[in-house]
């Protein structure tokens, strides 16, 4: 189906005028005119098309999307406030009923208050349903327009792009806008899910305390166990750091001896997944549009097919509630084609299971799985379409599957279709490409047509957490730190099948996945910026949990922003501080003044203070504080009267600035416990000492030799003897200093090792003294000897009898 027809059929009627005008852009391109009747494409035509697509169509769609997202956010916030007020009014009415009904028996049956609450909850749920439906329609709207822009610029570059290619420019513009991006909708969906959770808990109080599913994750079921999958991209520059970070916590998982022995000698196994679809790409479309009961089918094996590995036929089912499960069974290579054609129904495998005496339930389950998958293939007319080849590194504790992590690298997608009957990529009589598997071809697959290969630029990190650890209190801290770090780029619901089809069959499909725009940007992040974004995301999540907790009358969120967090002074932190101060109001007074829209909070010390005094200090936001430039404290920080400066001066003077009741520890935590030092540390210290002693012996021997030679010389003059003796004494002093310095450094470093000092072990004073002294001594020695040689007149001259003479080398000693 052409994209123009798909666009007309998928338009949401209330927003009909806000979609991309695809027909108008095609008319500007003169797409429908035959080549023989087409007029030359001029500069004016190019300017007209670019102005229409960038300044009119793109701006129209982007502006509408931004306005709609803002409107949905406001509606969601209003619904959250109604939810809070509903809970507050319910508490007040219950309190009144309890006061009036003291000493009286309660009447059976639901009260008028409960009926009103149920009615209000139904109205609230209907309002949330309306918001959720519009969010879904807006996601479809973004996806459809995103695909339309890429389709039309591809038509332009193919037909009118002799001089100008505008597809790269369009990709940059789309990546700079919240187009078709999951991050634009995740916070909104997260908040809606928490509000639905609050309503469900009110209707069914005994439902448990399980929080709603995070939209950035995907629930899965493996062998009856429930997991939550989180997917990320990893830039090649960060790949080694991510692997080493994980290896410190989880060991690498070895699959089997056969899978580890690859032709190229790689320890990590190569995995091949062969995905199925039909000529209409129905499975792909359902998966991109997130339709209920969307499924995918693949054949998967480890290593090369020539080594006869175990081949698994797997069907992944996506249910309406967002969860997924897998059906799979092993099949031999020689039976695959017959099974896909419906000629073989796994009879031999069933007979083998019965001969082994397996349970009748297991045999029946195997037959049902095989029949269901075969019926699925037949009904949808599926055939192999695209191959994904990658190297997987897995991490997991042996015997503990609560945390499972995998990293897929060297990902390549290869066409396996027969859509072009004249030039099929695969032999229609076979189920796989023999040219690849018979030759044991590996990444980067340079021996096949490069238009049939697409290489993914990043590694894919997948973290699977069992349901008992996938909650706020049970999830390991290091997992949270990795997921929120600058080393990874979140890409929820990423699918290799969808990516392979979108990259190799763009002309055949009318919907593209949301993450394609991120492929055109640099996913590397600044660490500080990534930390700020993660803190803001946690703050939003805590706010959503706070809404649920206030409605249910319980505390769900335990979030505390760190001191360096950008949200430490945000509205959420201030709101939490205000709530805590209100609870503690009997013990302390909190006054709030609002003059000319300037808000100042004053916190008073309790009257029963240890010092018997009360003090107050205005809490002024950091961004509103004035910096007094030109004052004495700005020029001389030592005269500053700030709290920090006072505390620093108190520490330097030995005055304790700790709060009352807090005692300074006598021993640091890092110094507690038994002392454990590796032998190589002691040996390194002694080896350094012996090196310095070697230098000391060499200098000492040189000094003694020089001094002895100068004292016993008969041919040299007086000045020569004195100079040689002085230099010998200087070198002897340097040797003595070297020996003493090496002994002092040995003892000092030993004390630092035993004391677990955190200071540097570098001592640059001694080497600098030795080097400078030797350099000065040599320069002075050479200078004096050089001057004496010229004074004697023997440097390259003649004596009185015309004989050539030279300076004795003893003069230059």
């Amino acid at each position: 189906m052409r994209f123009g027809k798909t666009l007309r059929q998928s338009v949401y009627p209330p927003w009909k005028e806000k979609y991309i005008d695809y027909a108008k852009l095609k008319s500007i391109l003169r797409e429908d005119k035959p080549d023989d009747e087409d007029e030359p494409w001029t500069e004016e035509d190019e300017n007209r098309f670019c102005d229409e697509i960038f300044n009119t169509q793109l701006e129209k769609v982007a502006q509408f999307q931004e306005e709609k997202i803002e409107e949905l956010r406001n509606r969601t916030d209003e619904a959250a406030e109604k939810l809070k007020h509903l809970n507050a009014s319910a508490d007040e009415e219950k309190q009144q009923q309890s006061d009036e009904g003291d000493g009286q028996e309660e009447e059976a049956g639901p009260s008028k208050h409960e009926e009103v609450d149920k009615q209000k909850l139904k109205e609230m749920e209907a309002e949330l349903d309306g918001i959720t439906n519009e969010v879904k329609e807006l996601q479809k709207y973004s996806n459809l327009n995103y695909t339309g822009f890429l389709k039309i610029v591809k038509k332009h570059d193919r037909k009118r792009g002799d001089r100008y290619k505008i597809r790269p420019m369009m990709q940059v513009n789309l990546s700079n806008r919240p187009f078709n991006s999951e991050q634009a909708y995740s916070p909104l969906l997260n908040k809606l899910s928490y509000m639905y959770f609050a309503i469900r808990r009110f209707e069914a109080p005994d439902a448990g305390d399980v929080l709603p599913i995070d939209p950035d994750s995907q629930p899965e079921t493996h062998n009856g166990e429930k997991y939550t999958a989180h997917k990320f991209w990893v830039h090649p520059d960060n790949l080694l750091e991510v692997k080493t970070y994980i290896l410190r916590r989880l060991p690498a998982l070895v699959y089997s001896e056969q899978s580890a022995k690859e032709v190229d000698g790689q320890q990590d196994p190569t995995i091949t997944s062969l995905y199925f679809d039909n000529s209409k790409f129905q499975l792909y479309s359902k998966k991109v549009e997130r339709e209920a009961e969307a499924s995918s089918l693949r054949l998967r094996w480890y290593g090369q097919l020539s080594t006869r590995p175990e081949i698994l036929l797997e069907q992944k089912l996506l249910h309406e509630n967002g969860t997924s499960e897998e059906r799979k069974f092993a099949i031999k290579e020689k039976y695959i084609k017959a099974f896909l054609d419906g000629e073989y129904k796994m009879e031999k495998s069933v007979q083998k299971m019965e001969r082994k005496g397996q349970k009748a339930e297991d045999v029946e389950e195997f037959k049902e799985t095989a029949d269901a998958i075969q019926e699925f293939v037949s009904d949808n007319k599926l055939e192999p379409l695209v191959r994904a080849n990658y190297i997987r590194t897995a991490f997991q504790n042996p015997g503990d599957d609560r945390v499972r992590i995998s990293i897929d690298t060297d990902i390549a997608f290869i066409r396996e279709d027969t859509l072009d009957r004249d030039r099929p990529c695969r032999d229609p009589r076979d189920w796989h490409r023999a040219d690849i598997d018979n030759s044991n071809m590996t990444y980067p697959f340079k021996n096949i047509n490069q238009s049939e290969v697409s290489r993914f630029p990043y590694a894919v990190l997948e973290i699977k957490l069992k349901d008992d650890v996938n909650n706020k209190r049970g999830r390991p801290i290091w997992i949270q730190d990795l997921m929120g770090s600058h080393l990874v780029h979140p890409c929820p619901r990423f699918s290799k099948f969808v990516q392979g089809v979108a990259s190799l069959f763009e002309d055949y499909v009318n919907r593209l996945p949301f993450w394609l725009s991120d492929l055109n940007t640099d996913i590397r992040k600044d660490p500080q910026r990534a930390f700020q974004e993660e803190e803001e995301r946690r703050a939003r999540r805590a706010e959503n949990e706070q809404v649920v907790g206030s409605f249910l009358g319980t505390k769900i969120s335990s979030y505390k922003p760190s001191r360096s967090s950008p949200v430490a002074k945000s509205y959420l932190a201030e709101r939490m501080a205000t709530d805590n101060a209100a609870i503690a109001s009997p013990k302390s007074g909190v006054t709030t003044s609002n003059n000319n829209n300037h808000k100042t909070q004053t916190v008073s010390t309790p009257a029963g203070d240890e010092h018997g005094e009360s003090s107050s200090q205005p809490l002024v936001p950091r961004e509103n504080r004035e910096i007094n430039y030109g004052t004495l404290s700005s020029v001389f920080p030592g005269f500053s009267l700030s709290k920090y400066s006072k505390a620093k001066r108190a520490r330097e003077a030995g005055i304790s600035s700790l709060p009352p009741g807090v005692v300074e520890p006598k021993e640091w935590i890092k110094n507690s416990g038994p002392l454990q030092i590796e032998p190589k540390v002691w040996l390194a210290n002694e080896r350094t000492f012996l090196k310095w002693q070697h230098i000391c012996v060499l200098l000492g021997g040189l000094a003694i030799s020089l001094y002895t030679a100068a004292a016993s010389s008969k041919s040299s003059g007086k000045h020569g003897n004195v100079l040689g003796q002085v230099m010998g004494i200087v070198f002897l002093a340097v040797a003595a200093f070297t020996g003493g310095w090496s002994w002092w450094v040995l003892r000092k470093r030993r004390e630092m090792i035993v004391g677990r000092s955190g200071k540097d072990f570098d001592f640059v004073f001694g080497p600098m003294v030795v080097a400078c002294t030797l350099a000065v001594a040599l320069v002075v020695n050479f200078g004096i000897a050089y001057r004496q040689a010229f004074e004697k007149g023997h440097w390259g001259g003649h004596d009185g009898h015309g004989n050539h003479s030279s300076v004795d080398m003893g003069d230059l000693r």
Side-chain angles (χ1 to χ4, degrees), residues 584-602:
S585 57
K587 297 181 180 180
S588 63
V590 179
T591 62
T592 303
S593 62
N594 192 351
N595 299 324
N596 298 328
N597 296 329
H598 181 74
K599 186 174 181 181
T600 303
Q601 294 182 357
T602 303

Side-chain angles (χ1 to χ4, degrees), residues 18-32:
K18 302 299 182 180
Y19 285 80
I20 178 177
D21 196 341
Y22 195 75
K24 183 178 181 180
L25 293 172
K26 285 182 64 177
S27 65
I28 296 176
L29 283 176
R30 300 195 290 270
E31 179 72 16
D32 299 331

Side-chain angles (χ1 to χ4, degrees), residues 50-79:
C50 291
D51 181 70
E52 179 66 27
I53 192 172
F54 287 106
N55 299 333
T56 303
Q57 300 296 329
L58 184 58
E59 289 298 327
K60 175 183 70 175
V61 175
Q63 183 178 359
F64 175 76
Q65 187 193 34
E66 293 175 1
E67 293 175 355
K68 205 64 185 177
I69 288 180
E70 187 64 26
E71 176 188 340
L72 292 173
R73 286 173 182 167
N74 294 335
R75 290 174 59 185
T76 305
D77 293 339
E78 292 175 1

Side-chain angles (χ1 to χ4, degrees), residues 196-486:
Y196 274 115
F197 171 74
I199 295 176
R200 297 286 186 270
R201 279 292 308 275
F202 191 86
E203 294 175 347
D206 299 331
D209 295 331
V210 180
L211 293 176
I213 298 173
D214 189 353
D216 293 339
S217 62
Q218 183 175 356
E220 296 181 356
T221 303
H222 299 279
N223 299 325
E225 300 287 348
K226 294 182 178 181
Y227 291 85
T228 302
H230 305 265
K231 297 182 179 181
F232 305 87
W233 292 348
V234 182
H235 194 277
D237 294 349
N238 299 330
L239 183 58
L240 181 60
E241 188 172 356
V242 171
K243 284 186 176 182
T244 53
Y245 180 86
I246 298 173
L247 278 172
R248 295 189 185 102
R249 282 88 181 174
L250 291 178
L253 178 65
V254 179
Y255 289 82
S256 64
E257 184 178 357
Q258 179 181 1
S259 63
K261 293 181 179 179
E262 291 290 316
V263 177
D264 55 0
Q266 293 286 343
Q267 183 178 358
D268 297 326
T270 300
I271 301 178
T272 302
S273 296
L274 199 60
Y275 292 98
F276 289 71
D277 207 340
N278 52 34
S279 58
K280 296 182 180 180
F281 296 89
Q282 291 178 339
L283 299 187
Y284 167 84
S285 300
K286 289 181 179 180
K287 203 168 183 66
V288 172
E289 297 173 7
R290 300 183 187 178
E291 294 185 6
E293 304 302 329
S295 300
S296 61
L297 184 69
R298 70 176 178 181
L299 285 165
R300 180 169 60 89
W301 65 88
Y302 291 86
Q304 297 293 340
L305 197 60
S306 59
T307 60
R308 299 184 180 276
E310 182 185 35
I311 302 176
L312 297 175
L313 183 58
E314 302 175 338
Q315 180 187 12
K316 190 171 185 179
L317 302 172
L318 182 62
H319 298 299
E320 189 174 0
N321 59 357
T323 60
S324 65
E325 63 172 321
E326 281 187 348
R327 298 174 181 171
K328 62 181 178 180
F329 63 90
I331 183 172
K332 291 185 177 181
E333 179 184 352
K334 59 183 178 180
Y335 297 133
I336 293 178
K337 181 61 177 175
F339 179 83
L340 296 176
D341 294 339
E343 301 172 358
Y344 175 68
K345 297 185 178 295
M346 304 300 295
E347 298 93 347
K348 294 186 178 181
S349 299
V350 173
Q351 295 173 3
K352 185 177 181 180
M353 294 175 67
E354 291 175 348
R355 287 197 305 267
K356 289 184 175 180
Q358 296 190 12
K359 296 180 181 179
E361 295 83 0
D362 297 339
V363 177
E364 188 64 26
E365 183 181 358
F366 178 83
K367 292 174 61 177
E368 291 178 357
T369 301
D371 293 342
I373 293 179
Q374 192 171 51
E375 183 180 0
F376 179 69
V377 173
S378 177
D379 293 344
N380 294 277
K381 300 179 180 179
L382 303 179
E383 61 181 15
L385 189 72
V386 63
R387 171 191 299 230
N389 185 275
Y390 49 93
I391 296 176
R392 169 161 293 183
T393 306
F395 306 90
Q396 180 183 330
N397 279 324
D400 185 2
D401 59 350
R402 292 179 298 174
V403 179
R404 300 165 57 185
I405 299 178
S406 64
I407 300 178
D408 298 336
T409 55
D410 294 346
I411 304 175
F413 303 102
I414 307 171
R415 290 183 61 165
E416 293 264 349
D417 62 284
T418 58
L419 298 177
D420 188 352
R421 298 299 177 181
D422 298 329
R423 300 178 60 184
C425 299
R426 167 182 52 84
D427 186 355
R429 296 169 297 180
D430 205 348
W431 62 273
H432 67 104
R433 290 188 62 161
D435 59 335
I436 296 178
D437 295 323
N438 293 346
S439 61
N440 292 333
M441 198 179 302
T442 58
Y443 187 87
F445 301 96
K446 293 184 178 180
N447 297 332
I448 60 176
N449 189 347
Q450 293 303 295
S451 63
E452 301 173 358
V453 184
S454 174
R455 300 173 186 85
F456 194 68
Y458 306 122
V460 176
L461 168 68
E462 184 173 10
I463 301 175
K464 291 184 179 181
L465 303 174
K466 225 172 187 179
D467 276 3
D468 58 347
V469 298
N470 187 36
N471 54 73
K472 188 167 185 178
R473 298 172 181 81
R475 182 182 299 175
I477 299 298
W478 69 271
I479 291 287
Q480 297 185 32
D481 293 340
L482 176 61
M483 292 168 59
S485 70
H486 68 285

